[in-house]
Amino acid sequence: MKTIVPIFISFLLLMTFTSCETLQNEKTIKLAHGLDTNHPVHKAMIRMGEELDKNSKGKLKLEIYPNQQLGSERQCLELLQIGSLDMTKVSAAVMENFSPDMKVFGLPFIFKDREHTFNVLDGTIGKELLDGGQKYWLKGLGYYDAGSRSFYTKEKTVETPKDLEGLKIRVMESVTAMHMVTSLGGSPTPISSGELYTALQQGVVDGAENNPPTFYLSRHYEVCKYFSLDEHTTIPDVLIISTHLWETLSAQEKEWLQSAVDVSIEYQRKLWAKAELEALKAVKKAGVTVVKPDKTMFKNKVESIYESYKNDAQMYSLIKRIQESQEL
């Protein structure tokens, strides 16, 4: 009996040590975002978590907090900066406050079409911009598709820039977005997404601009019965990781995570294309008038925005690289 007890105690100590070592070898990455769980982005993040678990054989886990549980996009970025949160998804328009060159994505009609968009995002230029926020402890891992933003209004259809004159249009907290609406004749009004439905109802603003799935999922179509598909900007969503976490990961762990991100991006883009078609079909059924205006008049009105960057050599060079890009 005397020999059994020490052996049993040794066994317990060994099991405890092994258990602690196993727990120490497992890492949980906390990811927060502001979207609904039915959104293609959230579904893609679920897929990312599955891939990460498979790649790492359970050593890396993803814990997702949707619906602004941990704050707005800007608040989540601030949590990343102090190391209290590991990953988030934000619009590139929000990132321009931390990585100034990303404001290029907010320029109207910067991309020729969807193929051109993805070639730039997945190519050399896109990768350069993902690294632009590292001095602020924010590293980009890839781009989700957020479609193209178009105007929707309460009282009338926007078929020409003249139709925007006198209208208060909600925009994101982006200097570029405000310049664009001003150039087109409207009055830009920054309002948080959570307050927009009420602002539209109460007449604080006359309209807003966003992509079809967001217009539908936010239920803004209940207030705004006119949707004009001018597709003025194509601003991607960006997956961001805190450098506080990234720099602690081994080369192998970084590879596991990046591979899972890449799979989720491909999956999200397929879901997004389907969601756009379904959203337009649904809002039309709900009584929204959807029009496709001639984009030429809108493009001509915003040329002054591009001219304003001629004195900024770095930005102007980036604009030219994107416009002339034929990356594969």
Side-chain angles (χ1 to χ4, degrees):
M1 187 72 179
K2 288 180 181 178
T3 57
I4 293 175
V5 172
I7 291 171
F8 181 66
I9 291 172
S10 297
F11 175 73
L12 283 178
L13 288 172
L14 177 63
M15 290 300 292
T16 303
F17 175 77
T18 305
S19 253
C20 289
E21 187 177 44
T22 302
L23 288 173
Q24 287 173 352
N25 286 338
E26 290 181 3
K27 292 179 182 176
T28 299
I29 297 172
K30 294 184 178 180
L31 187 162
H33 67 88
L35 298 170
D36 184 87
T37 53
N38 291 318
H39 198 284
V41 162
H42 182 78
K43 292 177 181 178
M45 289 174 175
I46 297 291
R47 180 68 177 271
M48 187 201 310
E50 293 168 351
E51 285 293 316
L52 186 59
D53 186 61
K54 183 178 76 173
N55 294 345
S56 67
K57 294 183 170 58
K59 292 179 182 177
L60 289 181
K61 304 279 189 183
L62 194 65
E63 199 169 276
I64 306 170
Y65 298 84
N67 291 312
Q68 290 194 3
Q69 288 181 39
L70 301 186
S72 66
E73 290 195 341
R74 189 180 181 91
Q75 288 168 332
C76 283
L77 285 176
E78 290 167 352
L79 290 174
L80 260 68
Q81 289 182 305
I82 62 174
S84 296
L85 180 64
D86 300 319
M87 289 180 67
T88 191
K89 185 286 309 174
V90 300
S91 168
V94 177
M95 269 302 290
E96 74 180 57
N97 297 302
F98 302 89
S99 182
D101 284 348
M102 277 209 179
K103 65 177 173 281
V104 74
F105 293 137
L107 292 174
F109 308 107
I110 185 72
F111 296 113
K112 299 168 188 156
D113 51 33
R114 191 60 61 88
E115 183 182 9
H116 180 218
T117 302
F118 292 151
N119 285 343
V120 171
L121 296 182
D122 300 337
T124 305
I125 297 171
K127 288 180 172 62
E128 287 174 9
L129 293 173
L130 287 175
D131 290 335
Q134 289 196 75
K135 64 181 177 181
Y136 300 107
W137 304 281
L138 304 169
K139 175 179 172 57
L141 294 178
Y143 301 94
Y144 282 149
D145 188 6
S148 295
R149 300 175 75 90
S150 296
F151 293 109
Y152 52 90
T153 47
K154 292 174 62 176
E155 303 297 337
K156 64 178 182 178
T157 307
V158 173
E159 299 202 48
T160 70
K162 191 171 180 60
D163 294 324
L164 286 167
E165 291 179 7
L167 297 185
K168 290 174 288 184
I169 302 296
R170 179 266 174 178
V171 294
M172 294 180 288
E173 291 184 34
S174 160
V175 173
T176 312
M178 288 189 273
H179 284 173
M180 179 199 65
V181 171
T182 301
S183 297
L184 291 172
S187 178
T189 309
I191 294 175
S192 71
S193 58
E195 298 172 354
L196 181 52
Y197 189 98
T198 303
L200 287 164
Q201 274 186 319
Q202 296 178 349
V204 175
V205 288
D206 304 300
E209 46 93 48
N210 218 316
N211 55 62
T214 301
F215 177 55
Y216 174 59
L217 291 173
S218 64
R219 306 188 74 87
H220 292 170
Y221 66 89
E222 294 175 346
V223 186
C224 296
K225 292 300 182 180
Y226 302 94
F227 196 17
S228 175
L229 293 175
D230 67 303
E231 299 178 323
H232 46 260
T233 51
T234 303
I235 305 174
D237 281 339
V238 193
L239 270 170
I240 305 290
I241 188 169
S242 168
T243 58
H244 296 293
L245 172 64
W246 181 255
E247 290 168 3
T248 68
L249 299 178
S250 68
Q252 179 67 81
E253 288 170 332
K254 289 176 180 176
E255 187 178 323
W256 287 335
L257 178 57
Q258 188 64 62
S259 176
V261 166
D262 293 344
V263 168
S264 79
I265 286 172
E266 184 178 354
Y267 182 61
Q268 188 271 344
R269 289 178 183 177
K270 290 177 181 176
L271 290 178
W272 184 267
K274 182 180 178 183
E276 280 191 336
L277 295 174
E278 291 175 346
L280 287 173
K281 183 178 179 181
V283 298
K284 286 177 183 176
K285 188 175 180 180
V288 173
T289 299
V290 178
V291 298
K292 292 185 177 181
D294 180 358
K295 297 180 185 180
T296 306
M297 289 181 284
F298 291 86
K299 288 180 181 179
N300 291 340
K301 288 283 283 185
V302 298
E303 282 182 1
S304 59
I305 295 177
Y306 287 88
E307 294 301 310
S308 69
Y309 286 106
K310 280 194 170 179
N311 294 326
D312 184 339
Q314 182 174 332
M315 188 64 177
Y316 200 65
S317 172
L318 182 57
I319 290 169
K320 289 300 179 187
R321 286 176 65 199
I322 290 175
Q323 289 176 329
E324 296 165 4
S325 172
Q326 297 297 321
E327 293 183 274
L328 300 176

